């Protein structure tokens, strides 16, 4: 059975999208010309082309937009057309007015008479054009049947130039990519040309490969210092990838100077990576980078659309000599995309350097015209308000429990990347799964929080994964019951280990890391109303919780000079979903209060001033507030979340 033209287009597109050396993260586009019917049932020639933003790797039929070809072809005889007029015209040609906006390269596909057109930003093709004398190199590598077009920003002019070359087999676009066309298998033609380009680069490859610098590591100290400097303009997540091959080269400055391999890479990775050799040179290197970006803006700003301010001048990619690549963004997801695209740009620069001894990119002016391209700026739309904890990394302990999971959920919803820990592996996994399912970035780590080696690893792993840390909700705790007269030493010690020492271990570890990072931070401790209002038969718990409050106060006193805040939340009993409130604890507390087990919850609600039961989410609201800038002038404070208990008022 033969498949429909659109099924064939989807299949071909996915084959291309599956090869990162051809296209990455939404790059490239494909089309086919076919017959279909318009809204009046008339038979029309249609162009089906990838919609803007669709990813060839995962595209389905809904990722394509259909346009009336006869309408588009009326533009073929025009001399010029600006972007706005072109986009407006193309929009009028859509068969479905509300379909997604078609690729900016729509006219290029429409003007070529062939049925199928594929356009990729293949690494090997870009490497051919990103060395000196690209026109000669392309002819040398691919022969006279493949045309070459000097760089021009995608739009009407490029579409016309390519259409004028339709008597060739394919077109290479400088600093951009490859266009192939045909009646049948364009994929094979694309692969054949990319293969020939690769073989040519291999033949030209110099025999002496750049010597590797001494291997170094992106260690914790390096990450904290780097993030500390980069996050001054707003918190960011660092994603480190150890792509040794590039970082081991001794010509990293030349790789960086080569700039983005293509215009669409620029939109993702920015102008150029920052090269850093060691932790000591981070500050100067970032300063120089930001000055360079500002100077580039000043040189070109009169060509920026009116009302547009300078973009964030920070690098988005850092090449660490001998170690690897670090990408930064407000979310880990975005940082990973940047890292992927950067790897291809760096590979293209390396190929060009190895084959031709030089790598060149777009001119300063052409870079700026993409960087501040009104069509791309329009895609970003109105600036959205940032989530309150955007770019932050927060550790939540005891995260499998009622309070911990509610805190993790709200902290993640506020934009933070959460590192959650608990000793209960199945429940922690369930919490992590729910958070990932909602699209949050979460790292679960199972372990015993009263073991200082585990606490050390918890913080190390958080920093290795996200590049730094901004705060914690130190929440893990256990209930230990028994009157002092009967309390075994082991029970007393168990309460002190989990309810006091674990908070000390985390505090000590975080104060050191936050000190190195130099961005301040917020430590939030979930203690208990028992810290101030001890309960009979609950001594080991009450004493340990009082000590926890004292740890928080000391952290506030000692952390203040480096901007680290420390505050406490004192909840009263929370029953729903609680692990702390085991059957045994319920029986024991019911006996202590002289009420039936079934009446315990009602008893706790009735004894407070508001007569309301306390919920886990009430604690989470307070935690998000204490982590956020809204509480930036608050430290050493205790917030009660207990419905109002005068005996437990902070003092
Ligand atoms: Zn393109």
């Amino acid at each position: 059975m033969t498949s429909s033209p659109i099924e064939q287009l989807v299949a071909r597109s996915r084959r291309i999208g599956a090869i990162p050396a051809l296209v990455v993260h939404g790059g490239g586009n494909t089309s086919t010309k076919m017959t279909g019917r318009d809204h009046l049932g008339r038979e029309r020639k249609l162009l089906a082309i990838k919609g803007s933003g669709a990813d060839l790797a995962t595209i389905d039929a809904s990722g394509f937009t259909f346009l009336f070809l006869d309408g588009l072809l009326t533009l073929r005889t025009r001399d010029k057309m600006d972007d706005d007029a072109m986009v407006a015209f193309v929009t009028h040609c859509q068969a479905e007015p509300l379909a997604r906006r078609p690729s900016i390269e729509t006219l290029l596909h429409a003007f070529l008479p062939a049925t199928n057109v594929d356009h990729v930003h293949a690494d090997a093709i870009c490497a051919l054009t990103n060395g000196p004398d690209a026109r000669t190199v392309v002819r040398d590598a691919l022969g006279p049947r493949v045309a070459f077009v000097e760089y021009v920003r995608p739009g009407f002019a490029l579409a016309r130039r390519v259409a004028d070359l339709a008597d060739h087999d394919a077109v290479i676009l400088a600093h951009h990519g490859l266009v192939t066309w045909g009646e049948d298998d364009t994929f094979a033609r694309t692969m054949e040309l990319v293969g020939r380009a690769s073989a040519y680069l291999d033949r030209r490859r110099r025999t002496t490969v750049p010597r590797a610098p001494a291997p170094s590591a992106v260690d914790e100290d390096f990450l904290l210092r780097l993030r500390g400097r980069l996050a001054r303009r707003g918190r960011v997540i660092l994603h480190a990838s150890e792509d040794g091959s590039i970082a081991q080269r001794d010509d990293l400055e030349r790789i960086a100077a080569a700039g983005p391999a293509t215009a669409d890479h620029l939109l993702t990775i920015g102008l150029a990576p920052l090269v850093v050799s060691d932790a000591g040179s981070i500050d100067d290197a970032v300063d120089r980078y930001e000055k360079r970006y500002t100077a580039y803006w000043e040189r070109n700003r009169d060509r920026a659309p009116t009302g547009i301010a300078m973009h964030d001048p920070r690098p988005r990619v850092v090449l660490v000599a001998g170690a690897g690549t670090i990408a930064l963004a407000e979310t880990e997801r975005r940082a990973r995309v940047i890292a992927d695209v950067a790897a291809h740009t760096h590979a293209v620069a390396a190929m060009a350097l190895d084959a031709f001894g030089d790598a060149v990119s777009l001119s300063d002016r052409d870079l700026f015209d993409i960087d501040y391209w009104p069509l791309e700026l329009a895609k970003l739309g109105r600036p959205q308000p940032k989530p309150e904890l955007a770019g932050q990394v927060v550790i939540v302990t005891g995260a499998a429990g009622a309070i911990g999971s509610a805190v993790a959920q709200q902290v993640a919803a506020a934009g933070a990347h959460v590192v959650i820990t608990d000793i209960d592996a199945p429940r922690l996994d369930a919490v992590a799964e729910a958070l990932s399912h909602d699209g949050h970035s979460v790292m679960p780590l199972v372990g015993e929080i009263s073991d200082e080696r585990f606490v050390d690893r918890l913080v190390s792993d958080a920093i290795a994964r996200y590049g730094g840390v901004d705060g914690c909700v130190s929440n893990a705790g256990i209930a230990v019951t028994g009157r002092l007269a009967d309390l075994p030493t082991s029970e007393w010690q168990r309460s002190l280990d989990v309810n006091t020492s674990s908070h000390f271990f985390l505090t000590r570890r975080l104060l050191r890391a936050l000190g190195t990072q130099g961005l301040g931070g917020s430590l939030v401790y979930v203690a208990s109303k028992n810290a101030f209002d001890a309960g009979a038969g609950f001594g080991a718990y009450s004493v340990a919780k009082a000590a926890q409050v004292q740890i928080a106060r000391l952290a506030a006193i000692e952390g203040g000079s480096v901007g680290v805040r420390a505050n406490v939340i004192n909840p009263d009993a929370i029953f729903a979903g609680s692990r702390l409130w085991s059957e045994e604890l319920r029986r024991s507390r019911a006996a202590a209060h002289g009420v039936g087990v079934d009446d315990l919850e009602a008893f706790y609600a009735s004894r407070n001033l508001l007569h309301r039961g306390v919920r886990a989410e009430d604690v989470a609201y307070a935690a998000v507030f204490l982590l956020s800038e809204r509480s930036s002038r608050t430290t050493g404070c205790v917030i009660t979340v207990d419905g109002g208990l005068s005996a437990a008022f902070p003092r």
Side-chain angles (χ1 to χ4, degrees), residues 39 51 199 211 267 366 425 463 574 583:
H39 59 294
R211 195 164 37 85
L267 294 169
D366 287 334
I463 294 167
I574 287 161
E583 272 311 304

Side-chain angles (χ1 to χ4, degrees), residues 414-444:
H417 293 60
V418 287
V419 178
I420 58 174
T421 180
D422 205 284
I423 197 165
D424 184 339
R427 288 181 65 153
L428 190 70
D429 276 353
V431 172
E433 207 163 292
L435 288 169
S436 320
H437 182 264
D438 290 343
H440 303 303
S441 178
V442 54
M443 181 170 84

